Amino acid sequence: MKVLVAVKRVIDYNVKVRVKADNTDVDLTNVKMAMNPFCEIAVEEAVRLKEKGVATEIVVVSIGPKVAQEQIRTALALGADRGILIETEEKLESLTVAKALKAVVDKEEPQLVILGKQSIDNDNNQTGQMLGALTGLPQGTFASEVAVDGEKVNVTREIDGGLRTVALSLPAIVTTDLRLNEPRYASLPNIMKAKRKPLEVVAPGDLGVEIKSTQTLVKVEAPAERSAGITVSSVDELVEKLKTEAKVL
Ligand code: AMP
């Protein structure tokens, strides 16, 4: 079974994001970039399926600038077999990404497509769902457990106050939630080996897709600064301040 995994290059989750002085965007100068954490979980799940003998090939795809090859190489070091970069410097929107992914799905014909549920830079949480709509394939979103069973995949989904399991006929699309697995680290030998794994770079036009923005980013603002708190010496003082200063009592 071939598994296709979509990985996105985003700002590393440990980085404190800075906004450009003119509020036009986030400042990416000298900022550490990494694979979106939910995509790491997607790669890990694919690798586990391969280790179980369920998956036979893992193909990783990313849409983005030339440097997004770094995240594809990371996925290859974690156990993916080959990578595809759809190279573009354009600003990306979920629908264009989903259309590009659909072109790859049409070409590669994977039995399972795994995406993150959300990218941590724009919090869109829609690419997997849009890919589901464009391809007409069944989708199991926010997966906390994935079990392939013959021609089906059972996806346990985290919903408010519980879990819900859906059976999807393959080929299918799955998006990963945080508790699906704990991704491994790439070992040094595997990082070296990944350098020799195939990574194909294609232009969007090669797949018959056009990457064109339909949105304009109007403004990016940092959250308002919170003023420093104070320490009170007694409960009485706290109640007094809540009455007279905060006026919430
Ligand atoms: P989003 O809908 O932007 O929150 O992203 C959800 C998931 O879609 C991500 O975790 C990725 O698996 C996939 N995705 C989004 N953007 C890209 C991209 N530029 N390249 C590859 N995969 C992407």
Side-chain angles (χ1 to χ4, degrees), residues 170-192:
L170 295 170
I173 297 170
V174 168
T175 72
T176 61
D177 214 328
L178 205 58
R179 278 165 289 275
L180 178 58
N181 60 49
E182 207 172 301
R184 70 196 68 192
Y185 292 100
S187 67
L188 191 58
N190 284 346
I191 293 172
M192 301 311 288

Side-chain angles (χ1 to χ4, degrees), residues 188-249:
L188 191 58
N190 284 346
I191 293 172
M192 301 311 288
K193 266 192 231 156
K195 294 187 180 172
R196 292 190 303 274
K197 289 189 178 176
L199 197 172
E200 185 190 357
V201 180
V202 297
D206 298 341
L207 295 166
V209 288
E210 192 189 5
I211 309 266
K212 205 175 80 194
S213 289
T214 54
Q215 291 174 355
T216 312
L217 184 55
V218 179
K219 199 175 182 186
V220 177
E221 283 175 284
E225 291 276 331
R226 290 178 61 183
S227 51
I230 55 161
T231 310
V232 289
S233 51
S234 66
V235 173
D236 287 345
E237 189 187 348
L238 174 64
V239 172
E240 183 57 26
K241 284 196 184 295
L242 288 174
K243 275 188 189 155
T244 57
E245 290 181 23
K247 296 195 170 55
V248 290
L249 291 181

Side-chain angles (χ1 to χ4, degrees), residues 3 5 33 40 56 78 101 108 130-131 133 149 155 174 180 185 192 195 206 208 219 223 226 231 233:
V3 181
V5 184
M33 304 294 282
E40 285 183 350
T56 46
L78 291 168
L101 291 175
E108 295 285 340
M130 286 178 168
L131 182 61
D149 177 14
V155 178
V174 168
L180 178 58
Y185 292 100
M192 301 311 288
K195 294 187 180 172
D206 298 341
K219 199 175 182 186
R226 290 178 61 183
T231 310
S233 51

